Amino acid sequence: MSDAVALGDIAAALGGELLGDPSLPIARIAPLDQAGPDAISFLANPRYRAQLSVSSAGCVIVAEALRDAAAARGAVIVAPDPYLYFARLTQWWAQRTRPREAAGVHPSAVVDPGARLGAGVHVGALAVIEADADIGDGAVIGAQCFVGRGAQVGAGTRLHPRVTLAFGCRVGARGIVHSGAVIGADGFGFAPTREPGYVKIEQLGAVRIGDDVEIGANTCIDRGALGDTVIEDGVKLDNLIQIAHNVQIGRGTAMAAQSGVAGSTRIGARCTIGGQAGVVGHLSIGDDVHISAKSTVTRSIAKPGTYTGFFPLDDNRSWEKNAVTLRQLHALRERLRALERAAAGEAHQEPDDPPP
């Protein structure tokens, strides 16, 4: 338990009300059903309350409502939001246990004399930093990264190995960009010609990314055609996401893996977009809009709320029948309207005179 820490040190660093022995050694963070006496765990969802009494965790982080039940089995940290406390605990733990890159430039890296490197910057093996690039204090440029001419990396930001930050693009402070991400590739812009073919539209904008943004592995954010593509503060993008040219994503929005946004769409603040969802171009999505996984957004949305649009899974025979019916919906609607008009007309006819 070389990495063990006293339970009291955790509470002192992160707050919360500690019930139990502050000297209890904690060596790891573990799920409630897998935690042993040397582990700290958390319970955020009441559905898993049954696991509490049988868990062997040395300490459990719970909300006020579970204080007594948790205390009956051992040490407890009571916090208003156990899941948020857990998230902060993982950050605190990582800072303690993960080795930090030493400041300096690896001998195999290529750094242009015109680039500016702030204090405490780490540049990994085979990285390339071009002229006029600006790397903020304490930033980490991982092995084989490419930082283009005039690009900017904010203080404390980490580019994991093999990230591309193209010329003139900016990532703000305290960001995390995972391996394989490409920021600033050309947007998909072409003008069709009379003969079959296309003429490329040069993408003259850049990408501006705010502070505290995390970008997943192999995600692509294209530069703008004229103005910039903009990702505001606190946005979280999962792996394998496509953000097209001139998209704007508001503060605190989160997008899950394999989702995509077409060009010139604006997404508001605090939105969520589920995995494999798609948003077509030139739309406006308001604040606090939540798109379910695999949905396709084809119109602008102004009202906050949760929106879902996909064809439900079914066995193939039933799905084919339903798909045929969907193709006939317009004709069926017109037939229904005609029947309604006919029925309304009959209802307004005068009754026949009674027979003599």
Side-chain angles (χ1 to χ4, degrees), residues 7 17 73 100 104 115 120 127 185 196 216 221 225 238 244 268 275 301 318 334 356:
L7 181 58
E17 181 185 1
R73 53 150 307 283
R100 298 183 181 182
I221 304 174
D238 201 354
I301 301 173
S318 297
E334 295 305 312

Side-chain angles (χ1 to χ4, degrees), residues 164-179:
T164 296
L165 180 63
F167 68 92
C169 296
R170 177 187 182 276
V171 178
R174 300 175 301 279
I176 302 173
V177 185
H178 290 277
S179 296

Side-chain angles (χ1 to χ4, degrees), residues 258-321:
Q258 297 185 346
S259 53
V261 184
S264 299
T265 282
R266 296 190 175 195
I267 297 176
R270 301 176 303 279
C271 296
T272 59
I273 297 180
Q276 295 188 334
V279 185
V280 304
H282 300 273
L283 299 185
S284 178
I285 309 298
D287 296 343
D288 301 298
V289 169
H290 307 287
I291 307 299
S292 299
K294 292 183 179 290
S295 297
T296 301
V297 181
T298 59
R299 60 179 175 85
S300 293
I301 301 173
K303 183 179 178 181
T306 300
Y307 295 81
T308 304
F310 55 86
F311 201 85
L313 182 72
D314 206 342
D315 67 89
N316 190 66
R317 184 180 296 274
S318 297
W319 188 93
E320 287 179 343
K321 291 178 179 178

Side-chain angles (χ1 to χ4, degrees), residues 17-35:
E17 181 185 1
L18 173 59
L19 305 177
D21 181 5
S23 66
L24 179 71
I26 299 296
R28 61 196 179 96
I29 306 170
L32 194 61
D33 60 346
Q34 300 176 23

Side-chain angles (χ1 to χ4, degrees), residues 90-115:
T90 62
Q91 292 187 355
W92 182 81
W93 198 273
Q95 289 177 352
R96 288 182 57 255
T97 58
R98 287 181 181 170
R100 298 183 181 182
E101 291 84 356
V105 178
H106 192 276
S108 65
V110 178
V111 180
D112 189 278

Side-chain angles (χ1 to χ4, degrees), residues 3 31-32 37 41 68 83 88 90 120 135 150 166 182 246 269 271-272 291 296 316 321 333 336 356:
D3 291 330
L32 194 61
S41 189
D68 294 339
Y83 194 62
R88 289 174 174 156
T90 62
I135 312 299
V182 177
N246 297 105
C271 296
T272 59
I291 307 299
T296 301
N316 190 66
K321 291 178 179 178
R333 184 185 67 175
L336 178 59

Side-chain angles (χ1 to χ4, degrees), residues 187-203 245:
F188 193 66
F190 299 90
T193 61
R194 290 186 177 182
E195 297 179 0
Y198 297 89
V199 174
K200 180 178 178 62
I201 299 171
E202 290 295 339
Q203 306 295 287
H245 55 186

